[in-house]
């Protein structure tokens, strides 16, 4: 809440202009100074300063609320639209409408399973006009891996919604609404996150995407700097949670996988099998000497606890792709077979498969 902008607090415009002229843009900028320092810096009467500070305190330190008031407010917001549909009907149904507003949704998977393509799909859905089922808003797409493909996004839009994006004008409107950031370092990414509040307000953003949240951290902070990495992850999660909750928008992040060594020997498989024979594990034999490796989500437990919804994209031993709801406050653990097409991800069949996740399958390292 300390990062909340003064411009969003309904302060008199004259007062806001004075604060802005002195480089005081957020509550944190103001509250880190004493009243004497503020008087000297702003040169305004004490009564005006006192009333302004009172309003800032009220905004960043809201009073206690009853569970009933929170429940009524949340119910009202859910009715007016609390989810962003993914376009995968059965998955949306299992998620009670799609990717939830106000929460962080993580998409985990190895390279090539369609994580980025799913992000492109929901970006198109966000930018589409409401009359066609979209959110009619902008998308802030943070491309940490520098692999965003404008052509692929256009292809998905044209093949998934041929009636809407049949002409060049609609494609141009779509392209104008997806705003791309290319951070080159962890510090650059953190600075971008801190500036997002202003961008969300100015550009009417309805979705934040980070693809991927692990890319820069893993390249700059090795296992010998794990404590620094965890501290930065905590800061990133804090900013993202604030933005999701304050603006009631979905935040989608992709996460990579890494190998977790196991001492169980060659020939053992930790794949979790469903009642109909589908395997949902992600274990592969690696190296020599009987050392087996399991694919696990990257980044560690601090990040794992920051995620509200987790979707896992993976392939079975037979080569079939599955999308699994591995963590959700409102959905059971189910999996859906899918395929990757010109229109993005499509469910292979209108069916779902139940599975029982082993604890170690979702451990974070």
């Amino acid at each position: 809440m300390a990062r909340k902008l003064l411009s969003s607090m309904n302060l008199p415009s004259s007062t806001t202009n004075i604060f802005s002229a002195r480089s005081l843009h957020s509550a944190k900028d103001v509250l880190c100074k004493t009243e004497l320092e503020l008087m000297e810096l702003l040169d305004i009467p004490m009564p005006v300063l006192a009333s302004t500070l009172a309003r800032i305190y009220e905004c960043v330190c809201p009073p206690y609320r009853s569970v009933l008031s929170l429940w009524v407010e949340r119910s009202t917001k859910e009715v007016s639209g609390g989810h962003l549909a993914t376009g995968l009907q059965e998955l949306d149904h299992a998620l009670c409408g799609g990717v939830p507003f106000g929460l962080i949704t993580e998409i985990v998977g190895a390279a090539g399973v369609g994580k980025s393509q799913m992000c492109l799909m929901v970006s198109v859905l966000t930018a589409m006009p409401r009359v066609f089922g979209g959110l009619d808003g902008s998308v802030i797409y943070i491309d940490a891996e520098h692999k965003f493909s404008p052509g692929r996004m256009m292809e998905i839009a044209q093949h998934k919604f041929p009636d809407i994006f049949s002409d060049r004008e609609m494609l141009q409107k779509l392209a104008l609404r997806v705003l791309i950031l290319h951070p080159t370092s962890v510090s650059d990414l953190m600075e971008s996150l801190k500036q997002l509040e202003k961008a969300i307000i100015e550009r009417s953003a309805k979705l934040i995407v980070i693809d991927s949240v692990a890319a820069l951290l893993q390249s700059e902070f090795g296992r010998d700097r794990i404590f620094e990495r965890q501290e930065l992850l905590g800061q990133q999660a804090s900013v993202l949670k604030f933005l999701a909750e304050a603006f009631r928008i979905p935040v989608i992040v992709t996460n990579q996988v890494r190998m977790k060594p196991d001492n169980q020997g060659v020939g053992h498989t930790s794949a979790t099998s469903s009642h109909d024979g589908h395997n949902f594990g992600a274990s592969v034999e690696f190296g020599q000497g009987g050392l087996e490796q399991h694919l696990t989500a990257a980044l560690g437990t601090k990040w794992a606890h920051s995620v509200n919804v987790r979707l896992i994209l993976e392939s079975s031993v037979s080569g079939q792709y599955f999308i699994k709801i591995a963590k959700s406050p409102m959905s059971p653990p189910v999996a859906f077979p899918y395929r990757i097409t010109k229109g993005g991800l499509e469910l292979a069949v209108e069916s779902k498969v139940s599975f029982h996740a082993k604890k170690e399958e979702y451990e974070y390292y």
Side-chain angles (χ1 to χ4, degrees):
M1 295 300 288
R3 296 187 181 92
K4 191 169 185 178
L5 295 177
L6 300 181
S7 57
S8 65
M9 298 184 186
N10 294 323
L11 297 171
S13 58
S14 57
T15 303
T16 304
N17 291 337
I18 294 174
F19 278 73
S20 179
R22 302 296 187 275
S23 299
L24 301 176
H25 304 289
S26 68
K28 182 179 179 180
D29 296 337
V30 176
L31 300 180
C32 284
K33 298 182 181 297
T34 66
E35 290 186 3
L36 181 59
E37 289 173 333
L38 290 171
M39 286 185 64
E40 293 177 349
L41 179 63
L42 300 171
D43 192 24
I44 60 176
M46 185 59 190
V48 175
L49 177 60
S51 62
T52 302
L53 289 176
R55 175 58 183 164
I56 294 174
Y57 282 126
E58 181 182 351
C59 291
V60 299
C61 303
Y64 293 110
R65 300 178 62 185
S66 68
V67 172
L68 177 60
S69 67
L70 289 172
W71 178 56
V72 171
E73 179 183 308
R74 180 58 58 86
S75 299
T76 303
K77 289 180 177 178
E78 291 295 335
V79 170
S80 64
H83 295 83
L84 167 61
T86 65
L88 306 175
Q89 186 175 356
E90 291 298 312
L91 176 64
D92 289 338
H93 178 72
L95 291 172
C96 302
V99 177
F101 290 3
L103 301 178
I104 299 176
T105 297
E106 179 189 50
I107 303 174
V108 182
V113 295
K115 302 188 300 297
S116 297
Q117 301 202 49
M118 188 169 183
C119 291
L120 295 177
M121 284 174 55
V122 294
S123 296
V124 171
L125 286 163
T126 300
M128 281 170 49
R130 288 188 182 275
V131 67
F132 297 123
L135 296 184
D136 201 19
S138 297
V139 178
I140 298 176
Y141 199 113
I142 301 177
D143 180 24
E145 295 187 355
H146 291 240
K147 63 179 183 180
F148 180 87
S149 172
R152 179 58 178 142
M153 186 182 73
M154 301 303 182
E155 182 182 41
I156 289 174
Q158 288 179 307
H159 282 81
K160 201 165 188 67
F161 307 102
D163 296 334
I164 302 173
F165 297 102
S166 58
D167 61 84
R168 185 177 181 84
E169 182 181 354
M170 287 299 295
L171 287 173
Q172 288 178 337
K173 289 181 178 179
L174 169 64
L176 285 172
R177 286 188 165 182
V178 181
L179 314 173
I180 310 298
L181 295 175
H182 292 294
T184 57
S185 64
V186 173
S187 59
D188 192 13
L189 173 59
M190 278 302 304
E191 188 60 32
S192 297
L193 292 179
K194 292 176 182 179
Q195 300 298 322
L196 285 189
E197 184 173 358
K198 182 179 180 181
I200 291 171
I201 296 172
E202 292 179 346
R203 303 304 293 267
S204 298
K206 300 294 178 63
L207 171 67
I208 297 173
V209 176
I210 301 181
D211 185 18
S212 80
V213 72
L216 295 174
L217 279 164
Q218 289 190 324
S219 63
E220 291 187 38
F221 295 85
R223 297 190 65 84
D224 57 328
R225 301 177 64 187
I226 190 168
F227 293 109
E228 294 178 68
R229 189 177 71 178
Q230 292 299 309
E231 179 63 27
L232 286 168
L233 275 172
Q235 295 176 21
Q236 291 181 11
S238 176
V239 175
L240 291 173
K241 279 185 172 292
F242 163 72
L243 294 173
E245 294 171 3
F247 295 98
R248 193 67 181 166
I249 61 176
V251 172
I252 297 178
V253 300
T254 66
N255 192 6
Q256 301 171 349
V257 294
R258 62 176 296 276
M259 293 293 189
K260 171 194 170 186
D262 191 84
N263 296 322
Q264 296 172 358
V266 176
H268 176 82
T269 174
S270 65
T272 305
S273 299
S274 68
H275 63 277
D276 63 354
H278 288 99
N279 291 324
F280 295 106
S283 60
V284 293
E285 197 169 297
F286 178 81
Q288 300 179 353
L291 179 64
E292 189 178 78
Q293 300 267 344
H294 302 282
L295 291 176
T296 60
L299 295 183
T301 54
K302 177 173 286 190
W303 175 255
H305 291 305
S306 301
V307 172
N308 304 106
V309 177
R310 182 175 303 116
L311 305 177
I312 296 180
L313 275 58
E314 65 182 19
S315 60
S316 67
V317 292
S318 62
Q320 171 69 66
Y321 290 117
F322 285 91
I323 181 169
K324 303 192 298 186
I325 302 176
K327 177 183 179 181
S328 170
M330 75 290 286
S331 307
V334 293
F336 303 91
Y338 71 92
R339 57 179 176 264
I340 301 175
T341 69
K342 289 184 177 180
L345 274 60
E346 293 182 1
L347 296 186
V349 292
E350 296 297 321
S351 64
K352 63 183 179 182
V353 181
S354 300
F355 70 94
H356 301 284
K358 284 187 176 182
K359 177 184 177 183
E360 63 269 19
E361 187 176 356
Y362 303 109
E363 288 180 342
Y364 276 56
Y365 293 87

